[in-house]
Amino acid sequence: MVAVLDDDNLVIGARPRSEMRRDNLRHSATGVLVRNAAGDIYVHRRTPTKDLYPSRYDFSAGGVVAAGEDPYDAVVRELAEELGITDAELTRLPEDDFADDHTRYHAYLYTCVWDGPVKHQPEEVEWGAWMSPAELIAKLDDPTWSFMPDTTALLGPYVRSLV
C-alpha cells in the first residue's frame, strides 16, 4: 500500500501501488545520489520489467514510500534493496516535487559517500558503473542515453553544480 498525498503533502488515504500508478496519484518517493570518495557518481540502468520508465538510466537509488513508512526509513530500505548499500551516512538535500503524465510525487532527496561494494537487486538494476560528474553531465546531454526524467529534473541541477 502507498500513502496518497494532497497538494500540501498531507496523507489523505492509501491505495495499492497498482492503483497509484494507474491513476497517477500523488505520493511520496525517495532518491539518493551515491558518490564515492573520489567524487564519482553511481549510475545504473533499470531493468526492462520496471513498472515506470523501464530500461532507463538513473543516477539515484530510491522508490515509493509505503503507507505508514517514515521517508528516512524508506530511503535506507531502498538503498539497501537496489544497490546493497547499508550503513551509509546520508546527507539530506532539499525536498522537491515532480510530476509528469506517468507519476506525481513529493521527493525526499539525499546523497551519500560509499566506497564499499555495490550489489544490484536483479529485479531492479541490470547494469551500473561509477562516472565522474563531468562524464555524467555528458551522458545527460547525449540523447542516446535515456535517463529517468524525475531524477534528471530533481538531481540534475545538483550534479551540474559539482563541476
Side-chain angles (χ1 to χ4, degrees):
M1 295 292 283
V2 176
V4 176
L5 306 179
D6 67 12
D7 289 336
D8 295 319
N9 300 324
L10 299 174
V11 176
I12 56 172
R15 294 282 192 272
R17 182 185 177 104
S18 59
E19 285 183 29
M20 178 270 293
R21 286 284 182 236
R22 182 192 70 212
D23 299 337
N24 197 8
L25 300 175
R26 185 170 163 76
H27 60 284
S28 294
T30 63
V32 183
L33 183 124
V34 179
R35 301 185 73 195
N36 62 22
D40 298 328
I41 299 166
Y42 198 77
V43 179
H44 64 275
R45 187 172 54 239
R46 297 160 59 88
T47 61
T49 56
K50 293 293 289 177
D51 65 348
L52 184 65
Y53 303 116
S55 299
R56 297 254 185 135
Y57 291 95
D58 203 352
F59 53 99
S60 170
V64 173
V65 178
E69 185 177 31
D70 180 82
Y72 183 83
D73 293 339
V75 77
V76 169
R77 174 183 53 77
E78 289 285 351
L79 190 56
E81 286 176 4
E82 287 183 19
L83 301 180
I85 296 173
T86 59
D87 299 322
E89 184 176 327
L90 298 172
T91 301
R92 195 171 185 157
L93 297 174
E95 296 174 20
D96 206 346
D97 293 311
F98 181 81
D100 68 7
D101 292 340
H102 306 286
T103 190
R104 295 185 310 135
Y105 67 88
H106 181 72
Y108 294 91
L109 303 170
Y110 294 83
T111 187
C112 72
V113 175
W114 182 255
D115 285 312
V118 175
K119 184 176 190 286
H120 299 154
Q121 181 181 39
E123 298 81 16
E124 295 200 37
V125 178
E126 69 176 10
W127 170 90
W130 294 100
M131 291 184 188
S132 71
E135 289 172 305
L136 176 53
I137 290 167
K139 300 295 187 201
L140 287 169
D141 294 339
D142 180 345
T144 65
W145 281 67
S146 184
F147 279 90
M148 294 286 293
D150 54 345
T151 303
T152 302
L154 295 168
L155 291 170
Y158 177 78
V159 169
R160 291 179 188 280
S161 76
L162 297 173
V163 255

